[in-house]
Amino acid sequence: MPPIYRLTNLQQTYNGRRVLDIDRLDIGRGEVLALVGPSGAGKSTLLRLLNFLERPSSGALEFDGMAAAGLDLGQRRRVTTVFQRPALLHRSVTANIAYGLGLRGIKPAPALIDGWLDRLGLAHLARQSAPKLSAGEAQRVALARALILRPDVLLLDEPSANLGPYNIGLIEQ
């Protein structure tokens, strides 16, 4: 089976400084891959490239056999990211979770949202305004918002950084 991602001679530079240099990397479908390294090693840069938020300075990035530069919006939406510091809307937790589906013209069944609220320990916060959430609660809302989309690829940028053991456990589940 062909990989979901294929990176060949991929480089990313900012202001003449090379921050990422990958000769070859294939990432298989369904593969769980963790990037570990010191600050400045290019982990977040690679995540931005894999989510098509940036174009590489040079080299080839393919997604599902197609050049990333040629992907349409529907193909790019098959990938979603949960960032270390999620951006939530000034709306309820429920509205935040449903937001991505609404952008896709899908009206989610309340049971679907309720299911994600329950799985991530957020049911008691369903009507809460997102800006009033703790860091751990906000991270779980962002994760629910990503997972409800059923992406082919889920990218996580330090999803449990600065969280307590309880919230880390919920996110890991």
Side-chain angles (χ1 to χ4, degrees):
M1 176 177 282
I4 192 80
Y5 284 104
R6 174 164 283 152
L7 289 65
T8 310
N9 300 318
L10 191 79
Q11 293 185 356
Q12 188 68 325
T13 58
Y14 300 119
N15 299 322
R17 180 175 167 254
R18 186 180 309 154
V19 297
L20 192 67
D21 189 353
I22 298 173
D23 291 333
R24 182 169 179 103
L25 175 64
D26 287 352
I27 303 172
R29 296 172 193 281
E31 181 176 354
V32 176
L33 177 66
L35 301 174
V36 180
S39 179
K43 300 178 303 291
S44 294
T45 297
L46 180 57
L47 287 177
R48 286 192 303 276
L49 291 167
L50 294 176
N51 198 20
F52 321 117
L53 297 173
E54 294 181 15
R55 289 185 182 212
S57 301
S58 64
L61 170 61
E62 294 179 11
F63 177 73
D64 206 11
M66 295 183 60
L71 297 174
D72 65 27
L73 180 60
Q75 293 161 321
R76 291 192 314 264
R77 281 184 170 171
R78 295 172 51 200
V79 178
T80 193
T81 302
V82 177
F83 294 99
Q84 182 177 353
R85 291 181 191 89
L88 299 179
L89 303 169
H90 290 276
R91 299 178 186 173
S92 71
V93 166
T94 298
N96 270 273
I97 292 171
Y99 183 73
L101 290 172
L103 288 176
R104 289 159 173 79
I106 300 168
K107 184 173 167 103
L112 179 63
I113 293 175
D114 290 345
W116 283 110
L117 288 167
D118 288 339
R119 285 178 76 177
L120 291 167
L122 296 166
H124 67 290
L125 298 171
R127 292 189 180 101
Q128 178 73 41
S129 175
K132 295 181 180 179
L133 299 175
S134 71
E137 292 163 345
Q139 196 67 24
R140 287 183 280 147
V141 170
L143 186 58
R145 181 175 58 194
L147 290 171
I148 201 169
L149 299 172
R150 300 180 51 96
D152 292 337
V153 176
L154 177 63
L155 303 170
L156 304 171
D157 188 4
E158 299 188 41
S160 61
N162 306 313
L163 300 183
Y166 173 76
N167 285 316
I168 290 171
L170 285 172
I171 288 173
E172 287 175 349
Q173 285 178 344

